[in-house]
Amino acid sequence: MDINSFPFTMSLPVGLLGVLLLYYALRPRAQLLLLIVASLVFYAWLDGWFVLLAVAIAAGTFVTGLFIGASDEAGRRRWLIAGVLFNVGVLVIFKYLGLLVASGDWLLRLLRTDSTLPLLQWGPRLAISFMVFNALSYLFDLWSGRSEPICDCVTFVLFICYFPHLVAGPILRTKDLLPQLGHPRVVTGDMIISGLLLMGFGLYKKLVLADQMIPHVERVFEHADAMPWSTLLRGAWLFALQLYADFSGYTDIARGCSRLFGIELPENFRWPLLATSVRDFWQRWHMTLSTWWRDYLYIPLGGSRRGGWMTCRNVMITMIIAGLWHGAEWTFVLWGALHGLLLVVGRLWRSWRPAAGTKALHGAAWAGAVLGTFVVLTPTWVLFRAKSIGVAADYLRGLCTLRGGLDAFALSDVALVVAFGGLVLLTDWLKQPDEVAAPPSSSTWPTYGRGILMGLLAVHFILAREDREAAFIYARF
Amino acid sequence: MLGFDTLRGPWRLRRELVAAVFVVASVEVLARYQVNQGHWVAGESLAGIVQSFQQSLATERPRIWLIGNSTLSCGADRNALASIVGERVAILSHSSSTLRASAAMLDFYMRHAPRQPERTVVTVTIDDLHRSGYRSKISQTYLDINLNDTLPPGPSLLTMLSARESILEVAGLRLWVRKWLGSPNTGVESHIAKRSAQGGSWTGEEVDDHDPAYRQLDAEFVMDADGIRELAALSNRRGIPCTLLLLPVSRQMQRYHDRNNPLLTYAQVRQRLAELCREHALPLVDWGEPSGEVGLFMDPYHLGVNGRVRMTKKLGEWLGGR
């Protein structure tokens, strides 16, 4: 069951209200226990007995952390390696084994042997990457001295299993959550209203915008080999919008829900559709993941401190592994590699024209940069969405060769992208004041104007909400 | 243990929230007023439509069932058909249903009806055979009804939702808004019924190649063989004869289809349909020859009053074996 499924959404007001009322009534320590129970019930509801896996990750990492804290330098290293191997092992078994088996099969066929490897039937567990990355960030922070060992298992289990962000992030670091769990929490009326509004905006983005785009995108990707270039372009751009509306919609729901408990989750998106370069895009898109890779892989590899070529190498390694994090598919590896390549090209461009990277863009130059970035990223969305490299190749071939000729261009294709894109941006603009827990109060007309637009979105939600719920895309990562 | 120390003030009313609630309430009040005045139509819910069909199948127990979408309800008059055939005929029309969805709903009604039909006819126009068009999306609801054996939620408490079709029509953007920015299946065909009741005027202009509504319906055509296979399987499983009947469209619709699907033209779709029906031993009646008589239609693919009279007579004679 998913967070936006009918039974869940029907149970949500009752379940969430019940948990909230009890939460507000309890003392701080008991609140943490209640959140753990709610989180485990939520995960068990979504993924059955695999809740035990979440508990195992929490327990294994907690114990490892205690040993790291109590050991000398050599012991700390050993325990860190053990903890990382444990978590990465869980990730490999429950997420990447299918890819390894399929690749092994491919290799055996290449060697023309008749043997095949047994196919594993279990798919990736819900949100396993998010949980494992929480745990790894704790171990790395502990190792580097950025964090102290947590001796309170209640706090730690909640850090790993905290339910609002469990399905699709944001990825939490110790500094994000632990200080908030260590002190009594306060929930004000402003926080409740802004939390509910954030949830509303998230539901609108998911259930109206993202889910409406699914058939438009599916149709194009299913028949990519026969579609004209303008339809292919529309499909790729709509998928970019769908993915953003879906993922950021979940983040808004998670952040809004968490705020009702007095816990602030970090921002995950900052207007990524308006990025002016690929580097800028990664500073705005899935920020908790990009900073995770920056701090725990890119910088330890040497970052940009060891000269141009080493920097390019580090960027490529980081992005390829980041691609693999998204899914056990070669398309994701290529997706990461292409992003790495674009970042490297951007870096070379900036080193050739140093002024280009520092100048703030305005007006037409800014619009051109935004549009240019959106266009440049098109093949990356194709790789992200395509079911196989073959489909992606068909798709990109059709785009590059302008299949169907210039006559295939349809203004309605552009209008559709502009309509959805405009609504996505409008929603982001409307929710800006609620990104913080206590939005400023104003009696000016823009406030009422914003309210009128919110009302119109609410009417659109009522009239256009999809009957069928689709799972959050990032939940499978 | 208990304290409520977590909750604190301030509790301030947000002005933009007041404005937002005001907008939603205004639309609802307007919808209720317009419906009361008869300007807008508050359609039945899809659940209500299906239940009414179930009820009529239970009480009238017709031997002949016709099932399709709005092209069927526009193409055949139930009472006139009954008088020509000489017995009651059920016309089960589901908004925007594809062939596959019609087969699913036929299965659903057969499962629940106290008396099985002796003969069934599934009517389609060629865009109902499109595997990934707008209708296939809408039709997921019908497939779900049959698969889960449950009806969707009943009528909404909000009049604006029941009058959704009218609101979109008033906005002047009905088709493309519905297809692009919102398309829950309410099962309502009020706009079709309204146009039909008004006599349906169509001047026979060519379909605009870039009209988003038609692009959603018919462009990028992919033939859905599954619907034919599933209908044939249903007929065999139940032991009830089933015929697939291809209804005509206007020449304008055929030309639009051909322009936008040069690799699978209207004639080729008919040919492919015949092959598939032969392959699955499903009887096909092909009345799908495009018509150049503009006066028969209320739009490029829905028959108007004149077309309905002629089609009802033709259907009646065919069903009656004359």
Side-chain angles (χ1 to χ4, degrees):
Chain A
M1 194 184 304
D2 217 326
I3 197 167
N4 64 320
S5 66
F6 186 72
F8 185 85
T9 45
M10 287 298 101
S11 316
L12 188 71
V14 181
L16 189 60
L17 193 66
V19 173
L20 274 171
L21 285 177
L22 194 56
Y23 179 84
Y24 295 146
L26 292 171
R27 298 282 182 210
R29 179 72 180 170
Q31 287 177 339
L32 300 186
L33 289 168
L34 174 68
L35 284 179
I36 288 179
V37 172
S39 298
L40 294 180
V41 168
F42 177 78
Y43 196 80
W45 192 3
L46 294 174
D47 210 17
W49 286 103
F50 282 91
V51 66
L52 295 176
L53 186 65
V55 174
I57 291 170
T61 310
F62 176 69
V63 172
T64 312
L66 289 180
F67 280 117
I68 291 176
S71 303
D72 57 12
E73 193 59 28
R76 281 163 63 83
R77 181 181 291 273
R78 274 198 301 274
W79 282 111
L80 174 72
I81 292 169
V84 170
L85 283 178
F86 167 70
N87 277 291
V88 173
V90 166
L91 203 57
V92 167
I93 292 170
F94 290 96
K95 184 164 178 175
Y96 296 108
L97 214 49
L99 175 72
L100 295 176
V101 169
S103 302
D105 257 343
W106 176 80
L107 200 63
L108 286 173
R109 279 201 303 276
L110 209 65
L111 297 171
R112 299 183 179 186
T113 65
D114 290 335
S115 39
T116 54
L117 296 172
L119 270 179
L120 290 174
Q121 292 303 316
W122 85 50
R125 302 324 309 167
L126 187 76
I128 187 90
S129 310
F130 290 98
M131 236 181 297
V132 166
F133 268 44
N134 279 7
L136 287 176
S137 78
Y138 168 67
L139 293 175
F140 291 141
D141 284 349
L142 209 53
W143 164 255
S144 63
R146 278 183 287 211
S147 173
E148 292 294 313
I150 300 167
C151 301
D152 176 12
C153 68
V154 170
T155 307
F156 190 79
V157 170
L158 192 55
F159 168 64
I160 298 291
C161 303
Y162 182 48
F163 79 92
H165 86 115
L166 203 56
V167 174
I171 295 169
L172 297 180
R173 312 271 279 271
T174 43
K175 66 179 169 56
D176 294 324
L177 196 58
L178 292 178
Q180 300 186 72
L181 300 183
H183 302 289
R185 287 149 298 280
V186 170
V187 181
T188 65
D190 281 347
M191 289 170 74
I192 290 177
I193 291 174
S194 65
L196 289 173
L197 276 175
L198 259 190
M199 290 175 77
F201 285 120
L203 285 169
Y204 175 77
K205 276 201 268 188
K206 167 62 183 161
L207 297 179
V208 177
L209 300 183
D211 287 0
Q212 287 293 344
M213 284 182 248
I214 291 173
H216 297 291
V217 173
E218 260 178 10
R219 179 154 53 132
V220 180
F221 275 85
E222 274 178 21
H223 310 291
D225 54 339
M227 294 287 176
W229 69 274
S230 66
T231 308
L232 294 173
L233 198 58
R234 182 192 74 202
W237 285 353
L238 280 182
F239 175 65
L241 296 175
Q242 182 206 339
L243 183 65
Y244 173 61
D246 185 284
F247 192 13
S248 70
Y250 178 83
T251 305
D252 291 339
I253 295 169
R255 294 187 68 222
C257 181
S258 183
R259 189 173 290 165
L260 300 180
F261 293 98
I263 296 171
E264 278 298 309
L265 296 182
E267 267 188 279
N268 219 8
F269 298 93
R270 196 175 293 149
W271 299 92
L273 298 178
L274 301 183
T276 53
S277 67
V278 178
R279 186 176 70 157
D280 188 32
F281 173 80
W282 278 106
Q283 288 165 353
R284 296 160 174 269
W285 174 272
H286 205 173
M287 295 185 297
T288 56
L289 179 71
S290 54
T291 52
W292 199 101
W293 287 115
R294 183 197 64 200
D295 292 348
Y296 300 128
L297 185 63
Y298 177 69
I299 291 175
L301 281 172
S304 57
R305 299 187 304 273
R306 295 182 189 169
W309 287 113
M310 288 300 280
T311 305
C312 294
R313 185 206 70 162
N314 295 341
V315 168
M316 288 304 294
I317 291 174
T318 306
M319 293 312 295
I320 287 172
I321 295 178
L324 195 57
W325 174 89
H326 280 83
E329 304 285 346
W330 290 109
T331 46
F332 286 118
V333 177
L334 277 181
W335 175 81
L338 185 55
H339 265 290
L341 198 64
L342 290 171
L343 286 169
V344 166
V345 169
R347 176 170 283 278
L348 293 175
W349 170 259
R350 282 193 304 280
S351 64
W352 184 50
R353 301 280 299 272
T358 54
K359 210 164 52 179
L361 297 171
H362 299 287
W366 174 82
V370 168
L371 192 63
T373 306
F374 197 66
V375 171
V376 162
L377 288 174
T378 305
T380 67
W381 302 123
V382 173
L383 284 167
F384 198 101
R385 174 63 174 77
K387 282 181 180 155
S388 68
I389 291 176
V391 172
D394 269 340
Y395 203 109
L396 294 174
R397 195 180 304 119
L399 268 178
C400 295
T401 58
L402 291 183
R403 186 190 292 143
L406 290 176
D407 291 346
F409 176 77
L411 202 60
S412 60
D413 288 336
V414 179
L416 187 58
V417 175
V418 170
F420 272 123
L423 281 174
V424 171
L425 289 175
L426 174 67
T427 315
D428 276 354
W429 179 72
L430 288 174
K431 81 177 174 71
Q432 271 307 100
D434 293 299
E435 288 290 348
V436 292
S441 181
S442 164
S443 61
T444 55
W445 270 107
T447 307
Y448 289 111
R450 181 172 168 261
I452 290 168
L453 287 171
M454 282 163 57
L456 291 174
L457 287 196
V459 170
H460 187 208
F461 184 92
I462 292 166
L463 296 181
R465 193 180 90 78
E466 275 294 295
D467 295 333
R468 292 164 63 85
E469 295 89 6
F472 285 100
I473 295 173
Y474 261 73
R476 63 193 163 105
F477 301 147
Chain B
M1 184 74 177
L2 298 177
F4 281 102
D5 296 332
T6 306
L7 282 178
R8 307 262 172 89
W11 298 89
R12 288 178 298 192
L13 194 60
R14 295 263 294 273
R15 290 183 174 85
E16 63 264 53
L17 267 184
V18 175
V21 171
F22 177 76
V23 169
V24 175
S26 300
V27 174
E28 176 63 12
V29 169
L30 180 68
R32 285 176 188 245
Y33 174 78
Q34 292 287 64
V35 167
N36 284 339
Q37 294 295 309
H39 299 142
W40 291 0
V41 179
E44 282 183 87
S45 65
L46 177 57
I49 291 167
V50 174
Q51 280 168 339
S52 73
F53 285 152
Q54 283 183 300
Q55 197 175 356
S56 84
L57 291 176
T59 52
E60 297 174 9
R61 303 189 170 215
R63 291 190 304 126
I64 303 172
W65 295 5
L66 272 69
I67 191 163
N69 57 29
S70 58
T71 55
L72 170 63
S73 55
C74 291
D77 182 272
R78 188 163 163 263
N79 294 330
L81 197 60
S83 68
I84 297 170
V85 179
E87 61 176 294
R88 287 187 193 282
V89 177
I91 292 185
L92 311 168
S93 158
H94 304 91
S95 175
S96 293
S97 161
T98 58
L99 167 59
R100 193 163 170 234
S102 291
M105 289 308 291
L106 188 58
D107 190 15
F108 176 82
Y109 291 123
M110 283 176 173
R111 211 165 44 243
H112 291 278
R115 175 180 165 175
Q116 295 299 294
E118 291 174 15
R119 184 176 180 188
T120 60
V121 180
V122 177
T123 65
V124 288
T125 52
I126 65 156
D127 39 326
D128 303 331
L129 303 166
H130 190 350
R131 196 171 74 187
S132 51
Y134 161 73
R135 292 203 180 123
S136 67
K137 179 191 172 194
I138 279 286
S139 288
Q140 282 296 334
T141 314
Y142 302 122
L143 301 180
D144 286 346
I145 288 174
N146 186 41
L147 188 69
N148 305 325
D149 205 20
T150 51
L151 292 180
S156 168
L157 291 174
L158 291 172
T159 303
M160 74 165 108
L161 194 54
S162 312
R164 183 176 177 279
E165 297 285 320
S166 294
I167 293 174
L168 295 178
E169 198 164 39
V170 165
L173 302 163
R174 185 182 57 75
L175 274 173
W176 71 265
V177 166
R178 191 171 62 163
K179 287 167 183 60
W180 283 5
L181 301 179
S183 50
N185 189 347
T186 53
V188 176
E189 293 179 349
S190 54
H191 58 288
I192 305 273
K194 195 172 160 187
R195 287 182 70 177
S196 183
Q198 288 168 350
S201 57
W202 181 51
T203 52
E205 65 275 15
E206 290 293 328
V207 181
D208 178 2
D209 280 356
H210 296 144
D211 184 330
Y214 286 91
R215 285 185 70 79
Q216 291 291 316
L217 280 179
D218 193 61
E220 300 151 11
F221 191 92
V222 182
M223 186 84 176
D224 183 12
D226 289 343
I228 297 161
R229 182 178 49 76
E230 285 170 20
L231 184 60
L234 173 67
S235 176
N236 289 334
R237 195 169 67 243
R238 297 267 178 192
I240 297 171
C242 184
T243 306
L244 184 60
L245 173 61
L246 184 65
L247 293 171
V249 294
S250 67
R251 279 208 200 287
Q252 285 80 345
M253 189 68 197
Q254 171 244 317
R255 284 196 287 265
Y256 171 80
H257 176 94
D258 291 353
R259 282 197 304 276
N260 286 278
N261 301 283
L263 298 177
L264 199 57
T265 61
Y266 189 89
Q268 287 167 327
V269 173
R270 285 171 73 191
Q271 195 181 350
R272 181 82 186 113
L273 178 64
E275 288 165 8
L276 285 167
C277 285
R278 264 197 305 277
E279 191 181 312
H280 294 287
L282 182 70
L284 170 71
V285 174
D286 185 350
W287 290 349
E289 188 62 34
S291 169
E293 289 185 64
V294 172
L296 295 180
F297 294 89
M298 71 160 125
D299 64 27
Y301 62 100
H302 285 109
L303 288 168
V305 175
N306 297 332
R308 182 183 227 206
V309 169
R310 198 183 294 182
M311 180 54 69
T312 304
K313 185 166 181 288
K314 191 173 178 180
L315 259 175
E317 288 172 358
W318 173 65
L319 289 170
R322 292 192 286 275

